[in-house]
Amino acid sequence: MALTLGSATFARPHLFGERPKLTDPLTQVVGLLQPDLSFAKFVEAAGTWRVRRVGDGRAFFFAALEGSVQLDIAGHAPVLIEGGDFVLIPAAYDFTSSSMTDVPSLIGDSLPVEIRPNVFRLGDQLGEPSVRMLVGSCAFASADAGLLVSLLPSMVHARGEPRLTTLIQLAVEESRGERAGREVVLARLMEVLFIEALRSSGPHRSSGVLRGLSDEKVAAAIRAIHEQPSVAWDVPTLAKTAAMSRSAFFERFRRTVGMAPMEYLLHWRIVLAKRSLEEGKLAATEIARRVGYSSASTFSVAFSRHVGVTPTMYARRKLLENEPASDPLSQHEPMSAFG
């Protein structure tokens, strides 16, 4: 399925053939990320407990069904998670969840005990659970995940959005079944989950494309970039689109999105270029034109500086990576929720 760079039609399967063209920037980013559920587990806890997770940058989500939990994420102030809350960390590396009761500094991490299939107990194994939660992780199928995640908030904390938990539960049920259309349904559920979480984060969102889209003037510039990436955008032109002076627009964009306007434009163009190179259906000259470069050589220089290899080398490497593995059984087990 072909990708239309100017309006981002994606290469994932669709129930009724070609998917409609998407011009909403948030939908484009999430669709290009291609989130796939890695695992999800129900956890209940009683008494005093603490679990630290050192991750590999996968997205991690945490839905509190009942009770309160303290969440400590490296680089952030401690977060109180209460029943009904949902937390999404698009790139999780180091965080700790613990009971609200004091945890002695000398105590080690709690070891989860599986008490029923896919249900784990933390802390007191005999006491009545005071906390129930659903935790999970997902990987991004996109090779551009690093670029795309950099456009999102580092943490999303949504409150009072019960349908987020419902979406997770539906995804978990679908992942365990063997019904026809499982992969398509699961892919859509994870995309909807991410979009719903990101737009439900309210005042808890920090900088990123989401916060930029909540600012009417900055959003006008972001949408213009996504709708017409081939246009020769510059700060004055984008400022005019946002109906602002050049200096005021530049500072407002940088503050809300977390990067300068032209840096954001470069990010988005590289994402689109990489996706088109991976498909291998267009010549470099055509790709250059579609993402806003006047010549293949100019595009090659910009791409090489940002990615580290030329467009031709990148396309060749992706072609080799996509060749079928010699051992069809060499698949890795999903990571443990507490590994």
Side-chain angles (χ1 to χ4, degrees):
M1 188 179 297
L3 170 72
T4 303
L5 295 176
S7 55
T9 299
F10 307 118
R12 303 189 76 176
H14 187 250
L15 287 171
F16 307 104
E18 290 291 324
R19 296 182 65 185
K21 295 180 180 180
L22 306 173
T23 56
D24 174 66
L26 180 59
T27 305
Q28 286 183 320
V29 170
V30 174
L32 285 169
L33 274 171
Q34 300 178 46
D36 290 318
L37 186 67
S38 295
F39 72 80
K41 299 179 184 292
F42 290 95
V43 179
E44 56 185 46
T48 300
W49 56 274
R50 177 176 60 202
V51 173
R52 181 186 179 193
R53 178 178 174 84
V54 179
D56 58 358
R58 294 189 185 193
F60 189 91
F61 53 81
F62 183 106
L65 307 178
E66 180 182 334
S68 299
V69 175
Q70 178 169 305
L71 186 63
D72 293 280
I73 304 173
H76 290 268
V79 179
L80 172 63
I81 308 300
E82 300 178 307
D85 286 8
F86 178 86
V87 172
L88 171 66
I89 311 172
Y93 289 99
D94 189 355
F95 62 94
T96 301
S97 56
S98 61
S99 59
M100 297 304 299
T101 55
D102 291 336
V103 180
S105 58
L106 297 179
I107 191 173
D109 289 347
S110 303
L111 296 177
V113 176
E114 189 168 14
I115 57 175
R116 296 187 299 280
N118 210 50
V119 178
F120 292 78
R121 169 65 76 96
L122 288 168
D124 186 350
Q125 297 296 310
L126 300 177
E128 181 67 20
S130 58
V131 171
R132 289 184 173 87
M133 51 192 171
L134 181 61
V135 300
S137 176
C138 75
F140 297 127
S142 172
D144 315 312
L147 281 173
L148 292 163
V149 168
S150 70
L151 303 178
L152 301 176
S154 57
M155 181 187 73
V156 172
H157 180 190
R159 181 160 285 170
E161 298 289 343
R163 58 183 178 175
L164 286 169
T165 301
T166 300
L167 284 168
I168 296 175
Q169 291 172 330
L170 287 172
V172 172
E173 292 173 6
E174 190 66 34
S175 69
R176 295 175 188 161
E178 295 295 336
R179 292 181 292 180
R182 171 182 175 274
E183 295 303 321
V184 174
V185 173
L186 187 57
R188 298 298 165 263
L189 282 171
M190 292 307 297
E191 287 184 8
V192 172
L193 172 64
F194 262 70
I195 293 171
E196 190 66 30
L198 290 166
R199 70 183 186 181
S200 299
S201 58
H204 302 283
R205 57 176 173 250
S206 54
S207 62
V209 67
L210 185 63
R211 187 175 178 189
L213 291 173
S214 69
D215 184 305
E216 181 180 358
K217 292 185 177 296
V218 173
I222 293 175
R223 289 194 175 95
I225 288 171
H226 282 247
E227 289 172 1
Q228 296 180 292
S230 62
V231 168
W233 296 111
D234 56 20
V235 173
T237 309
L238 289 170
K240 185 177 180 180
T241 300
M244 297 180 68
S245 70
R246 175 178 175 174
S247 59
F249 166 74
F250 181 90
E251 178 56 30
R252 189 158 169 174
F253 193 104
R254 186 195 61 77
R255 185 178 66 252
T256 56
V257 179
M259 63 181 70
M262 301 312 289
E263 183 182 359
Y264 183 90
L265 174 63
L266 175 61
H267 266 63
W268 187 241
R269 283 175 168 172
I270 294 298
V271 165
L272 296 179
K274 289 173 73 175
R275 181 53 54 89
S276 192
L277 287 166
E278 289 166 17
E279 291 186 341
K281 297 179 180 179
L282 297 175
T285 302
E286 178 62 15
I287 294 173
R289 186 189 67 79
R290 293 193 179 199
V291 298
Y293 290 93
S294 58
S295 68
S297 59
T298 304
F299 165 60
S300 181
V301 170
F303 189 94
S304 299
R305 286 177 178 172
H306 202 81
V307 181
V309 296
T310 66
T312 301
M313 291 176 63
Y314 179 84
R316 189 175 300 147
R317 186 174 66 187
K318 286 299 171 184
L319 179 63
L320 292 174
E321 289 177 357
N322 291 333
E323 288 182 354
S326 57
D327 181 6
L329 300 179
S330 59
Q331 299 183 6
H332 299 289
E333 291 294 323
M335 294 176 59
S336 164
F338 305 94

